[in-house]
Amino acid sequence: MAAPLLLRTFRKPIIACTYKYTYQGATISNHTYNHRLASTEAAAASVQLANAGGLVGYWQTLSNSTPVAYMQDVLIKIHDYSGLPWWASIVLSTFLLRSVVTLPLTIYQHKITARIEQIALEMPAIVEELKKEAAMAKRKFKWSEQQTLIVYRRSIKKQWQNLIVRDNCHPMKTMIVLWGQIPLWIFQSVALRNLVYMLPDPTSIQAQIVTTEMTIGGFGWIPNLTVVDHSYILPVALGLINLAIIEVQAMSRTRPSTRLQNIANNVFRGLSVVMVPVACTVPSALCVYWVASSSFGLAQNLLILSPEVRRSVGIPKTQTELREPYDLLWLKIQQRLRLAERPPADKPAAK
């Protein structure tokens, strides 16, 4: 711990000293000259690592983008102010950012979904009324079956739109979590990669110090966060956690899955498996972030199943809400593992 603290202590003075020598035109000492030679070599090595990782074209533009720069600054500040080693700082920053960004969006998404389910209960009565009106209009205006059907369908669509506007629950809002979570995941991943490879400016003293701190800021079997996890523990854990998230979402549904949902589940299962070999080739700092982010997502999905939690955050009660979600999940897990007979039908919450 002494080395990172020492580097952090001298971070700003070193930068100031460098600018002083540069702008005043003073004679550069041998120590400073050797330091710059080392910086140049580090810069070349970092560029080679970046190019070897495919950081060209679009990815290079993303690496140099403003959101990634802000994310790098946030990660460094959280590390400096917390005083934690880099692995713990990455976990802390992940939990903080997801609590601020994705957790509120997830709660809002569940509110929208609950409102849509509630207004769907109003539609049968509206449909019956529209059928009567369509039959009366057909007799009065001598409409054909085709004309009556067209007017009837337009009326249903208009009434549905009115209900959506009334409760402010457009179905597109159910995708809001992806709009926040995917950019956050990309920006933080690229920012951590930049910190590992001293990008976008390998000659920066701060970049060199951060990378040096990461080389001794790991834990257990990965003391160096700038290298891959050769034990494959983190990559395998990442795949298992992502698969657990998908299965929890699938098993918590109270209605039979549609064909589209089954296809989506299979696609995400495939992506979870593909992420394992990808995680085996990236620095451990990225693996720590990915595992921490997925762990937060799994805990979030489990927590939001609780009726008590849903009421506390203002999610309306619905007919498809599970009364005892954790008991049901455990029963379904046992059934999949053939440790128990087929579980009873899901119990929707009482009205």
Side-chain angles (χ1 to χ4, degrees):
M1 290 299 293
L5 291 176
L6 183 62
L7 289 170
R8 200 178 307 153
T9 302
F10 286 99
R11 181 178 295 170
K12 291 183 179 178
I14 289 175
I15 296 174
C17 182
T18 302
Y19 282 115
K20 177 181 178 182
Y21 288 145
T22 301
Y23 291 110
Q24 289 184 0
T27 302
I28 301 175
S29 64
N30 290 333
H31 174 74
T32 307
Y33 178 74
N34 292 335
H35 179 74
R36 291 194 175 184
L37 283 178
S39 299
T40 303
E41 294 174 357
S46 298
V47 171
Q48 291 177 357
L49 286 171
N51 291 335
L55 199 60
V56 293
Y58 171 78
W59 292 108
Q60 188 170 4
T61 302
L62 180 60
S63 175
N64 297 332
S65 64
T66 301
V68 171
Y70 280 126
M71 182 62 72
Q72 286 182 240
D73 189 53
V74 168
L75 294 175
I76 292 173
K77 280 183 168 56
I78 291 176
H79 171 258
D80 290 347
Y81 284 115
S82 66
L84 296 171
W86 262 105
W87 75 267
S89 178
I90 292 172
V91 173
L92 175 62
S93 63
T94 302
F95 287 176
L96 287 176
L97 291 172
R98 290 209 52 164
S99 297
V100 171
V101 178
T102 62
L103 181 58
L105 292 180
T106 300
I107 294 172
Y108 182 72
Q109 175 183 297
H110 280 270
K111 289 181 179 180
I112 296 299
T113 303
R115 291 175 191 171
I116 292 175
E117 185 174 340
Q118 287 180 333
I119 66 174
L121 297 177
E122 301 180 35
M123 285 303 297
I126 295 176
V127 168
E128 290 299 321
E129 185 65 25
L130 290 177
K131 284 182 179 179
K132 295 178 182 179
E133 293 179 1
M136 293 175 59
K138 180 183 178 182
R139 291 193 297 269
K140 181 176 180 180
F141 300 108
K142 309 297 183 180
W143 287 346
S144 64
E145 290 289 342
Q146 186 66 21
Q147 289 176 318
T148 305
L149 183 61
I150 291 174
V151 174
Y152 170 69
R153 288 177 176 175
R154 286 178 180 174
S155 299
I156 289 180
K157 184 176 180 180
K158 183 178 180 180
Q159 291 299 324
W160 176 252
Q161 293 295 334
N162 291 338
L163 292 176
I164 288 176
V165 172
R166 186 196 69 186
D167 288 3
N168 190 22
C169 57
H170 195 282
M172 283 299 296
K173 292 184 178 181
T174 59
M175 305 293 291
I176 194 170
V177 173
L178 295 179
W179 301 345
Q181 184 170 327
I182 291 179
L184 176 64
W185 188 88
I186 292 175
F187 292 149
Q188 192 165 352
S189 296
V190 177
L192 282 170
R193 185 176 185 132
N194 282 2
L195 294 178
V196 170
Y197 292 149
M198 293 185 286
L199 297 174
D201 181 13
T203 62
S204 167
I205 298 298
Q206 184 184 56
Q208 296 171 22
I209 292 175
V210 169
T211 301
T212 302
E213 291 175 340
M214 282 194 170
T215 60
I216 54 176
F219 64 94
W221 66 93
I222 46 172
N224 186 351
L225 294 177
T226 64
V227 298
V228 300
D229 180 7
H230 296 289
S231 69
Y232 305 130
I233 294 177
L234 289 180
V236 172
L238 174 65
L240 293 176
I241 295 172
N242 285 337
L243 287 174
I245 293 174
I246 298 169
E247 299 309 318
V248 165
Q249 292 177 341
M251 291 188 293
S252 60
R253 293 194 185 100
T254 58
R255 296 174 179 174
S257 299
T258 63
R259 184 172 179 271
L260 183 60
Q261 287 174 334
N262 289 331
I263 293 175
N265 286 341
N266 290 330
V267 170
F268 287 125
R269 289 186 183 108
L271 290 176
S272 299
V273 174
V274 169
M275 280 299 295
V276 174
V278 172
C280 291
T281 62
V282 300
S284 298
L286 277 173
C287 281
V288 171
Y289 164 59
W290 290 347
V291 170
S293 180
S294 295
S295 299
F296 185 96
L298 178 59
Q300 174 183 276
N301 287 342
L302 289 172
L303 189 64
I304 210 72
L305 288 176
S306 170
E308 292 78 12
V309 172
R310 294 171 70 86
R311 297 297 86 73
S312 66
V313 296
I315 300 175
K317 192 173 185 179
T318 61
Q319 287 187 335
T320 59
E321 182 180 289
L322 299 176
R323 293 179 180 176
E324 300 174 349
Y326 307 121
D327 291 341
L328 177 63
L329 286 178
W330 177 238
L331 284 172
K332 288 190 174 183
I333 291 173
Q334 289 181 311
Q335 188 271 335
R336 287 195 177 188
L337 297 176
R338 301 184 185 278
L339 299 177
E341 296 181 357
R342 187 176 183 84
D346 300 347
K347 299 177 180 180
K351 296 181 181 179

